[in-house]
Each structure stands twice: as structure tokens, then as C-alpha cells.
Amino acid sequence: MILVIGATGVVGRHVTAQLLEAGEDVRALVRDREAALSPQVKVVQGDLGDRESLAAALSGVEKVFLLTTGGPETPLHDANLATTAADAGVKHIVKLSIIGAEYGFSDLVSTWHLAGERTLRQVAARPGGPAWTFLRPGEFMSNVRLWANQIKTQGKVFWASTEPAVAVVDPRDVAAMAVTVLTTPGHEGKTYRFGGPEALTVAERVGKIAAALGRDIELVEVPIPALLGAVKKAGRQPLVVETTLGNLGREEFRIQAKKVLPVFAEVVGRPPHTFDEWLAAHLDIFR
Ligand SMILES: NC(=O)c1ccc[n+]([C@@H]2O[C@H](COP(=O)([O-])OP(=O)(O)OC[C@H]3O[C@@H](n4cnc5c(N)ncnc54)[C@H](OP(=O)(O)O)[C@@H]3O)[C@@H](O)[C@H]2O)c1
């Protein structure tokens, strides 16, 4: 039995679907029992902040896909899951982390994920502790959904840092990495940093959306504080966006983020999806 955490989210939905396709027995931890999931998934209500609910969800579970939000609660939620999983006799936890953890960035999101990783390593070192694998993907292609409303209503994209190029990754491929690691041997104690097949600037991504829609889209560069105000109004986590934008200004990030890495194809056995392929599957959100 594999427990999927974050099954209602962008990556977790794909993890769940791909595990079912692979014939695995899947349980999902959800906060809202009414969450729309495949009837083949066994749904368990719980919360990463509530250790009792985790103990119940982990009973009989062999492996876990661990998705925490990347917000300030991440270290505590990773620790809650790791310690309860150890008590429940779980064998392997696959944690979705972030690329910034790879180079030890001091930005908040990377720091929170690194703290979670550290706890998983400590718990694994206890007798019978669950093995870990850390997935450290780069920026998701799906982040461009933030622009959907602006494109639909104004034909414009307002963004702060339109450089550098980033090898953005399709969330389906993040899920495919997780599913490969959960269903094939030899991934315990490994960290995988990976991204997509081509490095694209914001301007290039906007250009591709415009071409696919067959209409012009104007890219308007705005100062970071103004962008953060808009993000906050839209109900997004400004701290996480601020971190992302802060990283874009780091020289090391600018060098690292554009690298096209062979890791995904080596682990999964096929090339990662292109941005055009992601776009073809999601074009309606911009119409
Ligand atoms: N976006 C990027 O470019 C990027 C790049 C690299 C890594 N990452 C990492 O990827 C992760 C985000 O993945 P995503 O975009 O798939 O997430 P998402 O779509 O925001 O989904 C978050 C999921 O976590 C669940 N959740 C939230 N709080 C919970 C709690 N207290 N207990 C149990 N479940 C809870 C949500 O369930 P509900 O339905 O109950 O809300 C939802 O299923 C973060 O760790 C982030 O740092 C993101």
C-alpha cells in the first residue's frame, strides 16, 4: 500500500493516477473527505499537522509520497510524517523537495525543505527507520497559470523578473519521477535534481502561449513590490513568490536553473515533456 499526501494538488493528482495505472494499491490522505478523487483510491481524512490522524492513515502502509506545501509549516509537517511513519513501520518515504535544496540556498522555501530533509535523514538513521528519497525539481511549467486571468482579460502578462532562462518541468514528470522511485528498486538514500528539456525565459514562455492561442500577448515588466501586492490580493502565498523572485536574482541560480539535466531520462527511461506539450494539454485555461 502506498500513501499519497497532497493527492488533490497539482503533482499529487498525477502521482495518484500514475500509481493506479501501474496497478498499485493507493491510499490518499485528504483534509476534505469530499475531495473528488478516483473511486479506486482509498481516501483517509487527516492533516499533516495532526499526528493522530497520520498514525491512522499510515497503518498498513509500506511507502509514502510526501508532499508538504513548501510554506513555513513544512519542517513540522515533514517531521510529523517521518516520526509517525517510523512508528508505523513504513519502509520508504519519497519527499518532494525543491531545486534550491540542492545548492543549499538560504531562501526560506529551500531552508524549510532542507529542514524537512534533515529530519527524514535523522529518522531513517534510527533502527528500522524508513529510507528516504528526495526529489528536487526546478520550477514547474504550471506556474504560468498565475498569468491565465491577465491573458484572458487584458491580453497582457505582468511579471517582475522576465530573465533568466529556467529549465521548467512538467508536473506530470515530477509525478513520473515519484512513481518510478516508489515502484522500482534502488532509489533509497538518493537525491534527484531534475528539470525539463529546455531552458525558457518568461518572455519565451509568454511567446509560446501567444503562438498557441494565435493572439498577441504583451509582457509588462513590473517592480517586485508591486507584483507581490498583486499576488497577495489574488490569495497566493507572497512569501513563496518573493522567495522565487529573490532566487531569480542570484547568480548561482541563474547558472544552475537553466541547465538541462539528463537525470529525468536516466531514472524514468523517456525524455521529459516539453513546454509546448504541457501547453497543448492546458491551453483552455488561457482562453
Ligand atoms: N511550483 C514550483 O515551481 C515548485 C518547484 C519545485 C518544488 N515545488 C514544491 O512542490 C510542492 C507543491 O506541489 P503542488 O504544486 O502539487 O501543491 P498544491 O497543488 O499546492 O497542493 C498542495 C496539496 O497539499 C495538501 N495539503 C496542504 N496542507 C495540508 C495539510 N496540512 N495536511 C495534508 N495535506 C495538506 C493540499 O490538500 P487540500 O486539497 O486539502 O488543500 C493539496 O493536496 C511544494 O513543496 C513546493 O515547494 C514547487
Side-chain angles (χ1 to χ4, degrees):
M1 169 82 72
I2 300 177
L3 179 69
V4 176
I5 299 177
T8 57
V10 175
V11 175
R13 279 192 182 279
H14 292 299
V15 173
T16 306
Q18 292 177 28
L19 282 173
L20 289 174
E21 267 168 41
E24 296 291 336
D25 206 4
V26 182
R27 186 184 287 171
L29 178 88
V30 295
R31 291 190 291 183
D32 175 4
R33 188 172 281 286
E34 303 304 313
L37 292 174
S38 158
Q40 291 164 273
V41 177
K42 296 168 187 70
V43 173
V44 184
Q45 196 170 19
D47 192 303
L48 282 162
D50 171 4
R51 282 172 47 89
E52 265 179 43
S53 71
L54 293 180
L58 286 162
S59 167
V61 165
E62 194 189 352
K63 301 175 188 179
V64 177
F65 171 69
L66 172 57
L67 185 147
T68 40
T69 59
E73 61 285 346
T74 287
L76 175 65
H77 285 179
D78 281 340
N80 282 348
L81 188 282
T83 49
T84 337
D87 292 343
V90 168
K91 300 276 175 266
H92 189 185
I93 301 172
V94 178
K95 171 177 161 58
L96 175 56
S97 183
I98 197 162
I99 198 166
E102 184 81 14
Y103 8 94
F105 276 179
S106 57
D107 70 83
L108 289 172
V109 179
S110 302
T111 306
W112 292 324
H113 274 302
L114 271 172
E117 290 188 7
R118 230 174 358 255
T119 306
L120 262 70
R121 287 178 205 269
Q122 285 164 357
V123 173
R126 296 179 192 168
W132 51 264
T133 305
F134 302 141
L135 305 182
R136 293 170 167 174
E139 184 183 341
F140 297 170
M141 291 176 180
S142 50
N143 289 358
V144 299
R145 290 174 313 163
L146 269 174
W147 307 332
N149 204 35
Q150 301 167 5
I151 290 174
K152 278 195 285 200
T153 58
Q154 301 177 64
K156 292 181 182 178
V157 167
F158 299 90
W159 202 242
S161 302
T162 58
E163 296 282 343
V166 176
V168 284
V169 62
D170 189 327
R172 281 178 295 183
D173 292 336
V174 179
M177 279 292 279
V179 169
T180 301
V181 168
L182 285 162
T183 58
T184 60
H187 304 288
E188 290 85 353
K190 295 195 172 161
T191 60
Y192 293 121
R193 172 195 159 193
F194 61 101
E198 58 188 335
L200 297 169
T201 63
V202 164
E204 286 166 336
R205 278 171 265 168
V206 170
K208 281 179 176 291
I209 298 169
L213 290 171
R215 58 182 282 203
D216 290 336
I217 301 174
E218 185 188 348
L219 176 58
V220 184
E221 194 147 352
V222 292
I224 289 181
L227 182 71
L228 289 175
V231 164
K232 200 171 180 179
K233 250 194 228 157
R236 308 271 171 177
Q237 279 204 39
L239 206 53
V240 173
V241 176
E242 190 171 3
T243 291
T244 308
L245 293 172
N247 275 345
L248 294 179
R250 290 167 186 258
E251 185 54 24
E252 191 185 359
F253 182 88
R254 298 168 81 89
I255 294 166
Q256 297 288 348
K258 69 178 179 205
K259 282 189 184 161
V260 173
L261 303 164
V263 179
F264 178 87
E266 285 166 3
V267 174
V268 178
R270 64 162 172 84
H273 290 108
T274 62
F275 186 75
D276 289 327
E277 286 169 327
W278 179 88
L279 200 50
H282 297 89
L283 200 55
D284 278 350
I285 62 177
F286 302 104
R287 286 201 169 105

CSV table of all heavy atoms in Angstrom, one decimal, residues 92-121:
chain,number,residue,atom,x,y,z
A,92,HIS,N,9.7,3.3,3.2
A,92,HIS,CA,10.3,4.2,2.3
A,92,HIS,C,9.4,5.5,2.2
A,92,HIS,O,8.2,5.4,1.9
A,92,HIS,CB,10.5,3.6,0.9
A,92,HIS,CG,11.3,4.3,-0.1
A,92,HIS,ND1,11.5,3.9,-1.4
A,92,HIS,CD2,12.0,5.5,0.0
A,92,HIS,CE1,12.2,4.8,-2.0
A,92,HIS,NE2,12.6,5.7,-1.2
A,93,ILE,N,10.1,6.7,2.3
A,93,ILE,CA,9.3,7.9,2.1
A,93,ILE,C,10.0,8.7,0.9
A,93,ILE,O,11.2,8.9,1.0
A,93,ILE,CB,9.4,8.8,3.4
A,93,ILE,CG1,8.8,8.1,4.6
A,93,ILE,CG2,8.7,10.2,3.1
A,93,ILE,CD1,9.0,8.9,5.9
A,94,VAL,N,9.2,9.1,0.0
A,94,VAL,CA,9.7,9.8,-1.2
A,94,VAL,C,9.2,11.3,-1.0
A,94,VAL,O,8.0,11.5,-1.1
A,94,VAL,CB,9.2,9.2,-2.5
A,94,VAL,CG1,9.7,10.1,-3.7
A,94,VAL,CG2,9.7,7.8,-2.6
A,95,LYS,N,10.1,12.2,-0.6
A,95,LYS,CA,9.7,13.6,-0.3
A,95,LYS,C,9.9,14.5,-1.6
A,95,LYS,O,11.0,14.5,-2.1
A,95,LYS,CB,10.6,14.1,0.8
A,95,LYS,CG,10.4,15.6,1.0
A,95,LYS,CD,11.1,16.2,2.2
A,95,LYS,CE,11.3,17.7,2.1
A,95,LYS,NZ,10.1,18.5,2.0
A,96,LEU,N,8.9,15.2,-1.9
A,96,LEU,CA,9.0,16.2,-2.9
A,96,LEU,C,9.6,17.5,-2.3
A,96,LEU,O,9.0,18.1,-1.4
A,96,LEU,CB,7.6,16.6,-3.5
A,96,LEU,CG,7.6,17.7,-4.5
A,96,LEU,CD1,8.6,17.5,-5.7
A,96,LEU,CD2,6.2,18.0,-5.1
A,97,SER,N,10.9,17.8,-2.7
A,97,SER,CA,11.6,18.9,-2.1
A,97,SER,C,11.7,20.0,-3.2
A,97,SER,O,10.7,20.2,-4.0
A,97,SER,CB,13.0,18.4,-1.6
A,97,SER,OG,13.7,19.4,-1.0
A,98,ILE,N,12.8,20.6,-3.3
A,98,ILE,CA,12.9,21.7,-4.3
A,98,ILE,C,14.4,21.9,-4.7
A,98,ILE,O,15.3,21.6,-4.0
A,98,ILE,CB,12.4,23.1,-3.7
A,98,ILE,CG1,12.1,24.1,-4.7
A,98,ILE,CG2,13.3,23.6,-2.6
A,98,ILE,CD1,11.2,25.2,-4.3
A,99,ILE,N,14.6,22.4,-5.9
A,99,ILE,CA,15.9,22.5,-6.5
A,99,ILE,C,16.9,23.3,-5.6
A,99,ILE,O,18.0,23.0,-5.5
A,99,ILE,CB,15.8,23.1,-7.9
A,99,ILE,CG1,17.1,22.8,-8.7
A,99,ILE,CG2,15.5,24.6,-7.9
A,99,ILE,CD1,16.9,23.0,-10.2
A,100,GLY,N,16.3,24.4,-4.9
A,100,GLY,CA,17.2,25.2,-4.1
A,100,GLY,C,17.9,24.4,-3.0
A,100,GLY,O,19.0,24.8,-2.5
A,101,ALA,N,17.3,23.3,-2.6
A,101,ALA,CA,17.9,22.5,-1.5
A,101,ALA,C,19.2,21.9,-2.0
A,101,ALA,O,20.1,21.6,-1.3
A,101,ALA,CB,16.9,21.4,-1.1
A,102,GLU,N,19.3,21.7,-3.3
A,102,GLU,CA,20.5,21.1,-4.0
A,102,GLU,C,21.7,21.9,-3.7
A,102,GLU,O,22.8,21.4,-3.4
A,102,GLU,CB,20.2,21.0,-5.5
A,102,GLU,CG,21.3,20.3,-6.2
A,102,GLU,CD,21.2,18.8,-6.2
A,102,GLU,OE1,20.2,18.3,-5.7
A,102,GLU,OE2,22.2,18.2,-6.5
A,103,TYR,N,21.6,23.3,-3.8
A,103,TYR,CA,22.8,24.1,-3.6
A,103,TYR,C,22.7,24.9,-2.3
A,103,TYR,O,23.4,25.9,-2.2
A,103,TYR,CB,23.1,25.0,-4.8
A,103,TYR,CG,22.0,25.1,-5.9
A,103,TYR,CD1,21.1,26.1,-5.9
A,103,TYR,CD2,22.0,24.2,-6.9
A,103,TYR,CE1,20.1,26.2,-6.9
A,103,TYR,CE2,21.1,24.3,-7.9
A,103,TYR,CZ,20.1,25.3,-7.9
A,103,TYR,OH,19.2,25.4,-8.9
A,104,GLY,N,21.9,24.4,-1.4
A,104,GLY,CA,21.9,24.9,0.0
A,104,GLY,C,21.6,26.4,0.0
A,104,GLY,O,22.1,27.2,0.8
A,105,PHE,N,20.6,26.8,-0.8
A,105,PHE,CA,20.2,28.2,-0.8
A,105,PHE,C,19.7,28.6,0.6
A,105,PHE,O,19.0,27.8,1.2
A,105,PHE,CB,19.1,28.5,-1.9
A,105,PHE,CG,19.7,28.7,-3.2
A,105,PHE,CD1,18.8,28.9,-4.3
A,105,PHE,CD2,21.1,28.7,-3.5
A,105,PHE,CE1,19.3,29.1,-5.6
A,105,PHE,CE2,21.5,28.9,-4.8
A,105,PHE,CZ,20.7,29.2,-5.8
A,106,SER,N,19.8,29.9,0.9
A,106,SER,CA,19.3,30.3,2.2
A,106,SER,C,18.0,31.0,2.1
A,106,SER,O,17.5,31.6,3.0
A,106,SER,CB,20.3,31.3,2.8
A,106,SER,OG,20.5,32.4,1.9
A,107,ASP,N,17.3,30.9,0.9
A,107,ASP,CA,16.0,31.4,0.8
A,107,ASP,C,15.0,30.6,1.7
A,107,ASP,O,15.3,29.4,2.0
A,107,ASP,CB,15.5,31.5,-0.6
A,107,ASP,CG,15.2,30.1,-1.1
A,107,ASP,OD1,14.1,29.5,-0.9
A,107,ASP,OD2,16.1,29.5,-1.8
A,108,LEU,N,13.9,31.1,2.0
A,108,LEU,CA,13.0,30.5,3.0
A,108,LEU,C,12.5,29.1,2.5
A,108,LEU,O,12.5,28.1,3.3
A,108,LEU,CB,11.8,31.4,3.4
A,108,LEU,CG,12.2,32.6,4.2
A,108,LEU,CD1,11.0,33.6,4.3
A,108,LEU,CD2,12.7,32.2,5.6
A,109,VAL,N,12.0,29.0,1.3
A,109,VAL,CA,11.4,27.8,0.9
A,109,VAL,C,12.5,26.7,0.9
A,109,VAL,O,12.2,25.5,1.4
A,109,VAL,CB,10.7,27.9,-0.5
A,109,VAL,CG1,10.1,26.6,-0.9
A,109,VAL,CG2,9.6,29.0,-0.4
A,110,SER,N,13.6,27.0,0.3
A,110,SER,CA,14.7,25.9,0.3
A,110,SER,C,15.1,25.6,1.8
A,110,SER,O,15.3,24.4,2.1
A,110,SER,CB,16.0,26.5,-0.4
A,110,SER,OG,15.6,26.8,-1.7
A,111,THR,N,15.1,26.6,2.6
A,111,THR,CA,15.5,26.3,4.0
A,111,THR,C,14.5,25.4,4.7
A,111,THR,O,14.8,24.5,5.4
A,111,THR,CB,15.6,27.6,4.8
A,111,THR,OG1,16.5,28.5,4.1
A,111,THR,CG2,16.1,27.4,6.2
A,112,TRP,N,13.2,25.7,4.4
A,112,TRP,CA,12.2,24.8,5.0
A,112,TRP,C,12.2,23.4,4.5
A,112,TRP,O,12.1,22.4,5.3
A,112,TRP,CB,10.8,25.4,4.7
A,112,TRP,CG,10.5,26.7,5.4
A,112,TRP,CD1,10.9,27.1,6.7
A,112,TRP,CD2,9.8,27.9,4.9
A,112,TRP,NE1,10.5,28.4,7.0
A,112,TRP,CE2,9.8,28.9,5.9
A,112,TRP,CE3,9.1,28.1,3.7
A,112,TRP,CZ2,9.2,30.1,5.8
A,112,TRP,CZ3,8.5,29.4,3.6
A,112,TRP,CH2,8.5,30.3,4.6
A,113,HIS,N,12.4,23.2,3.2
A,113,HIS,CA,12.6,21.9,2.7
A,113,HIS,C,13.8,21.2,3.2
A,113,HIS,O,13.8,20.0,3.5
A,113,HIS,CB,12.6,21.9,1.1
A,113,HIS,CG,11.2,21.9,0.5
A,113,HIS,ND1,10.3,20.9,0.8
A,113,HIS,CD2,10.6,22.8,-0.3
A,113,HIS,CE1,9.2,21.2,0.1
A,113,HIS,NE2,9.3,22.3,-0.6
A,114,LEU,N,14.9,21.9,3.3
A,114,LEU,CA,16.2,21.3,3.8
A,114,LEU,C,16.0,20.9,5.3
A,114,LEU,O,16.5,19.8,5.6
A,114,LEU,CB,17.3,22.3,3.8
A,114,LEU,CG,18.1,22.3,2.4
A,114,LEU,CD1,19.1,23.5,2.4
A,114,LEU,CD2,18.8,21.0,2.2
A,115,ALA,N,15.3,21.6,6.1
A,115,ALA,CA,15.0,21.2,7.4
A,115,ALA,C,14.2,19.9,7.4
A,115,ALA,O,14.5,19.0,8.2
A,115,ALA,CB,14.2,22.3,8.2
A,116,GLY,N,13.2,19.8,6.6
A,116,GLY,CA,12.4,18.6,6.5
A,116,GLY,C,13.3,17.4,6.0
A,116,GLY,O,13.2,16.3,6.6
A,117,GLU,N,14.2,17.7,5.0
A,117,GLU,CA,15.1,16.6,4.6
A,117,GLU,C,15.9,16.1,5.7
A,117,GLU,O,16.2,14.9,5.9
A,117,GLU,CB,15.9,17.1,3.4
A,117,GLU,CG,15.2,17.3,2.1
A,117,GLU,CD,16.2,17.7,1.0
A,117,GLU,OE1,17.4,17.6,1.2
A,117,GLU,OE2,15.7,18.0,-0.1
A,118,ARG,N,16.4,17.1,6.5
A,118,ARG,CA,17.3,16.7,7.6
A,118,ARG,C,16.6,15.8,8.6
A,118,ARG,O,17.2,14.8,9.0
A,118,ARG,CB,17.8,18.0,8.3
A,118,ARG,CG,19.3,18.0,8.5
A,118,ARG,CD,19.8,19.3,9.1
A,118,ARG,NE,18.9,20.4,9.4
A,118,ARG,CZ,18.8,21.5,8.7
A,118,ARG,NH1,19.5,21.7,7.6
A,118,ARG,NH2,17.9,22.5,9.1
A,119,THR,N,15.4,16.1,8.9
A,119,THR,CA,14.6,15.3,9.8
A,119,THR,C,14.4,13.9,9.3
A,119,THR,O,14.6,12.9,10.0
A,119,THR,CB,13.2,15.9,10.2
A,119,THR,OG1,13.4,17.2,10.6
A,119,THR,CG2,12.5,15.1,11.2
A,120,LEU,N,14.1,13.8,8.0
A,120,LEU,CA,13.9,12.5,7.4
A,120,LEU,C,15.2,11.6,7.4
A,120,LEU,O,15.2,10.4,7.7
A,120,LEU,CB,13.5,12.6,5.9
A,120,LEU,CG,11.9,12.5,5.7
A,120,LEU,CD1,11.2,13.7,6.2
A,120,LEU,CD2,11.6,12.3,4.2
A,121,ARG,N,16.3,12.3,7.2
A,121,ARG,CA,17.6,11.6,7.4
A,121,ARG,C,17.8,11.1,8.8
A,121,ARG,O,18.3,9.9,9.0
A,121,ARG,CB,18.8,12.5,7.0
A,121,ARG,CG,19.0,12.8,5.6
A,121,ARG,CD,20.2,13.8,5.4
A,121,ARG,NE,20.0,14.6,4.2
A,121,ARG,CZ,20.6,14.3,3.0
A,121,ARG,NH1,21.2,13.2,2.9
A,121,ARG,NH2,20.4,15.1,2.0
